[in-house]
Amino acid sequence: GTKKKAGCPGLGLFYTVLSAFLFSVASLFLKKIEDVHSVEVSAFRCVFQIAFVLPGLIYYKTGFLGPKGKRIFLFFRGFLGSIAMVLLYYAYQVMPLADATVITFTSPVFTSLLAWIFLKEKYSLWDLLFTLFAVTGVILIARPPFLFGSRVTRIEGDYSDHMKGTIAAVASALSAASTFVIIRKVGKSVHYFLSIWYYAIIGLIGCVIALFILNEWRLPHCGRDRVFLVLIGLLGLGGQIFLTKALQIEKAGPVSVMRTMDVVFAFILQALFLNRLPTWWTVGGALCVVASSSGTAIRKWRHSVKKAKQGEI
C-alpha cells in the first residue's frame, strides 16, 4: 500500500498563532471605528458567518435545525454565543484593547468551574487555584476603588466606562464558557457547522431586534468605517477558520496555550497603533490570567492523554 504523507510538524500551532493575529487585528479595527454601535458590528460579523456556514450545511446535508433532542442546546449555544460576542465588542470599544483581551482569556477557567457544576466533571484544588489567579488578574485590571482608593490613575477615558467594559468582558467570558459547556454536552452528535449556524442566525436576529429597540441601526457616515466593518467580518471569519483547522490537526491543550498569543498581539497593536502603553497593573493582570488559562489547558490536556493511554491498555 501507499504510505500516508506525514503532516508538517507545528502546522497546527502556526494556524493557532495566525488565528490569534487575525482576531487581534479585527479587535484593533473595532477600536478604530468611531460611530458604530457594538451590536451593529456583531450583526455584520454574523452575516459573514452565515455566508461561510451556509454552503457547508448544504454540502454536508446536515439540515438547518439539527436533531430534535439537541435543538434546545443549540438554541442556547447560539443565544449565549451571540451575547458573548456583543459584550466583547462593547468591552473593546470602551476600555483599552489589551485589558479587554486579557479578561476574555478567563473563559477556560470559568469553563472548568461550570463543567464541574453542570456536567459533574472533576474540579481539583489546582482548578480552584487557577480560578483565584484569574479573578486576581481581573481585579488588577479593573482596580476597583474599594481596594485601590478613589483616585485611580492611567485609566483610558472615564473610569465608569472602564468598569462597564470590565463587567462586559467578564460577562462575555462567562457566556463563552457556557457555550463551551453546552458544546461538550452535545458532543459529536451535532456537526460543527450546525453549531456555528445557530450562533450566527440567532445572533443576527437578536442584534437586529436590539438595534431597532435602541434606535442605533445606521450605516457609518465615514467610508473608512465601512471598510473596517467589512475587514472585521473577514478577519473574524479567517480567525475562526484557522482556529478550527488548528484543532483538527493538533491537540486541544497546545492550541489553548498558544492562543494566549492573542494577548501578546493585543499589547503590541495597542502600543503601535493606539499610542498607549499598558500599565504595570495590566501586565500583572495579564500574567495572572495567562498563567491560569494556560495551567487549566495543560491540566486538561494531560488528563485527556492519560485517559487515552488507559483506554489503549
Side-chain angles (χ1 to χ4, degrees):
T2 58
K3 292 184 177 179
K4 186 178 179 180
K5 187 177 179 180
C8 177
L11 182 61
L13 299 182
F14 171 74
Y15 283 154
T16 307
V17 174
L18 183 57
S19 169
F21 177 73
L22 295 178
F23 282 134
S24 298
V25 176
S27 60
L28 173 66
F29 288 151
L30 183 62
K31 288 288 290 184
K32 288 289 188 179
I33 291 180
E34 298 176 353
D35 195 31
V36 182
H37 199 279
S38 58
V39 179
E40 187 172 349
V41 179
S42 303
F44 273 91
R45 170 72 184 275
C46 290
V47 169
F48 279 91
Q49 293 279 79
I50 292 171
F52 166 69
V53 173
L54 187 58
L57 292 178
I58 297 173
Y59 177 80
Y60 288 107
K61 300 178 181 179
T62 61
F64 296 98
L65 297 178
K68 286 186 178 180
K70 306 294 182 181
R71 290 174 187 175
I72 185 65
F73 295 110
L74 288 170
F75 171 81
F76 280 108
R77 181 267 184 270
F79 178 71
L80 291 170
S82 59
I83 288 178
M85 175 176 58
V86 172
L87 291 173
L88 175 61
Y89 286 173
Y90 175 77
Y92 280 142
Q93 288 184 332
V94 299
M95 70 185 304
L97 177 64
D99 292 13
T101 303
V102 168
I103 293 175
T104 58
F105 268 82
T106 58
S107 60
V109 181
F110 292 137
T111 301
S112 297
L113 181 61
L114 293 176
W116 171 59
I117 296 173
F118 295 105
L119 302 181
K120 308 303 179 184
E121 292 186 4
K122 185 178 179 181
Y123 191 79
S124 65
L125 288 176
W126 279 107
D127 294 315
L128 177 60
L129 179 63
F130 294 143
T131 302
L132 294 176
F133 259 91
V135 172
T136 302
V138 173
I139 291 174
L140 290 176
I141 293 172
R143 280 168 281 168
F146 68 90
L147 289 178
F148 292 84
S150 58
R151 298 181 63 183
V152 182
T153 58
R154 297 195 66 185
I155 292 291
E156 180 180 309
D158 187 65
Y159 182 74
S160 63
D161 287 338
H162 184 82
M163 282 303 299
K164 290 177 184 177
T166 301
I167 294 171
V170 172
S172 174
L174 280 168
S175 299
S178 301
T179 63
F180 295 149
V181 172
I182 293 173
I183 291 172
R184 285 189 193 180
K185 177 68 175 179
V186 172
K188 296 181 180 180
S189 60
V190 174
H191 196 278
Y192 176 76
F193 276 128
L194 195 60
S195 177
I196 300 180
W197 169 257
Y198 267 82
Y199 162 64
I201 286 292
I202 294 176
L204 179 60
I205 295 173
C207 288
V208 171
I209 294 173
L211 286 170
F212 277 106
I213 293 175
L214 297 171
N215 196 25
E216 290 284 352
W217 180 265
R218 62 182 183 274
L219 284 173
H221 301 292
C222 176
R224 186 194 68 169
D225 285 351
R226 297 181 184 182
V227 173
F228 282 161
L229 275 178
V230 175
L231 289 176
I232 289 170
L234 292 175
L235 290 169
L237 180 58
Q240 189 69 49
I241 291 172
F242 281 112
L243 181 59
T244 304
K245 289 179 69 67
L247 289 169
Q248 288 176 340
I249 61 178
E250 185 61 80
K251 295 184 182 298
V255 170
S256 298
V257 174
M258 193 59 69
R259 274 213 66 198
T260 56
M261 284 298 297
D262 202 336
V263 175
V264 178
F265 289 134
F267 276 82
I268 294 173
L269 294 176
Q270 177 176 293
L272 291 178
F273 298 100
L274 301 178
N275 298 319
R276 185 172 183 84
L277 294 175
T279 65
W280 287 111
W281 295 111
T282 300
V283 174
L287 291 175
C288 289
V289 171
V290 169
S292 64
S293 60
S294 299
T296 301
I298 292 172
R299 277 187 56 78
K300 295 293 182 185
W301 174 38
R302 291 182 61 185
H303 177 70
S304 62
V305 171
K306 183 179 179 181
K307 191 174 181 180
K309 287 183 179 180
Q310 288 176 348
E312 291 176 0
I313 295 174

